[in-house]
Amino acid sequence: MDRNQEIALTQMRKSVEKLGSSTESCGEKTLMRFLIARSMNPEKAAKMFCQWKKWRAEMGLSKNGNPVVMVKSNKHFPSKDQVQFKKFVVHLLDKTIASSFNGRETGNEKLIGIVDLQDITYSNADLRGLITGFQFLQAYYPERLATCYLLNMPQFFVTVWRFVCRFLDKATQEKVRIVTSEEQKQEFIREVGEDVLPEEYGGRAKLVLLQNVVVNY
């Protein structure tokens, strides 16, 4: 860590205290995520950090390589209960990130998201759900997203995606890759890894849907 980063961290801690909160339970790498997300501005990072702590308390959730989460969009339908859907998104993100912990959190774990749009119809297109997921990542999981791949995007979804992008920060948009060409597909396979990707996506792993997982006690 260079001198400028150390100064920014010190200033951020002081700003957090002025806002009536504390950074005692968080390490430097965790705090750096908020600084990076706010262009190394200590005051803005402190405000974001305090908002995050408040949000975590309200959600009632404990703080728990790059893990991969895959979404098959043709299996999804918009939820009528937005509160429960938001809690599910938080649970999904927490579990995905926690799966990369090696004993304890280091603060800089990131996830890879894969959204398969194969055979998606208008009834599966969930604008609010997409916006909610990305906004949660932006506001409450700064620098947790490594890359998000969009696969098999149909023509009608191009307009949907352009609308969703209106709600995304530039930094988030730059982490989203739409895979269309064979060259992009091969790059996607290389970056994610054949051992991780299911066979239908060019890898060697077996895809087990969430509802088909068998839990052994």
Side-chain angles (χ1 to χ4, degrees):
M1 182 179 298
D2 62 33
R3 179 60 176 166
N4 289 334
Q5 290 177 326
E6 291 178 352
I7 293 173
L9 274 173
T10 299
Q11 292 175 339
M12 178 184 170
R13 288 191 175 99
K14 291 180 179 178
S15 295
V16 169
E17 291 177 359
K18 289 179 180 178
L19 292 172
S21 188
S22 171
T23 62
E24 288 183 0
S25 61
C26 299
E28 290 181 350
K29 290 183 178 179
T30 295
L31 299 181
M32 278 301 301
R33 289 192 292 110
F34 290 86
L35 278 166
I36 293 171
R38 288 296 176 264
S39 302
M40 300 304 292
N41 184 304
E43 289 74 24
K44 290 182 178 180
K47 183 178 180 181
M48 185 184 189
F49 177 83
C50 291
Q51 290 173 338
W52 170 74
K53 287 193 71 175
K54 181 175 182 293
W55 173 78
R56 294 299 296 181
E58 290 174 348
M59 293 303 297
L61 300 173
S62 60
K63 195 176 177 184
N64 302 16
N66 286 336
V68 177
V69 58
M70 177 171 287
V71 178
K72 293 183 74 68
S73 299
N74 64 355
K75 305 291 185 182
H76 172 78
F77 296 93
S79 175
K80 295 180 180 179
D81 188 335
Q82 284 300 304
V83 174
Q84 284 301 110
F85 175 73
K86 289 178 180 179
K87 289 186 177 181
F88 170 73
V89 172
V90 172
H91 174 78
L92 182 64
L93 292 173
D94 279 355
K95 288 297 183 181
T96 303
I97 294 168
S99 69
S100 69
F101 293 176
N102 184 18
R104 61 187 295 274
E105 180 182 15
T106 62
N108 61 348
E109 296 87 355
K110 296 187 179 185
L111 64 87
I112 292 175
I114 301 174
V115 181
D116 183 5
L117 299 164
Q118 182 76 47
D119 298 326
I120 190 175
T121 66
Y122 286 101
S123 61
N124 304 121
D126 187 358
L127 272 171
R128 182 184 293 182
L130 267 173
I131 293 170
T132 294
F134 278 108
Q135 287 190 329
F136 272 24
L137 277 167
Q138 291 177 166
Y140 305 119
Y141 295 86
E143 290 300 301
R144 285 298 201 187
L145 179 64
T147 312
C148 178
Y149 295 94
L150 301 184
L151 311 180
N152 305 310
M153 181 183 288
Q155 188 59 42
F156 86 86
F157 200 81
V158 173
T159 302
V160 174
W161 179 246
R162 286 174 180 167
F163 180 80
V164 172
C165 284
R166 298 179 185 178
F167 299 86
L168 308 186
D169 295 341
K170 181 181 178 181
T172 301
Q173 291 188 42
E174 291 175 346
K175 294 177 181 178
V176 178
R177 300 184 189 177
I178 302 174
V179 179
T180 55
S181 68
E182 182 61 28
E183 182 181 351
Q184 291 171 330
K185 180 180 178 182
Q186 292 305 314
E187 182 181 358
F188 157 70
I189 294 172
R190 285 195 302 272
E191 291 187 0
V192 178
E194 293 184 8
D195 291 336
V196 176
L197 282 173
E199 293 173 342
E200 64 184 280
Y201 299 103
R204 293 189 290 266
K206 297 291 184 181
L207 176 62
V208 180
L209 299 179
L210 184 63
Q211 63 266 29
N212 296 332
V213 173
V214 176
V215 180
N216 296 314
Y217 294 96

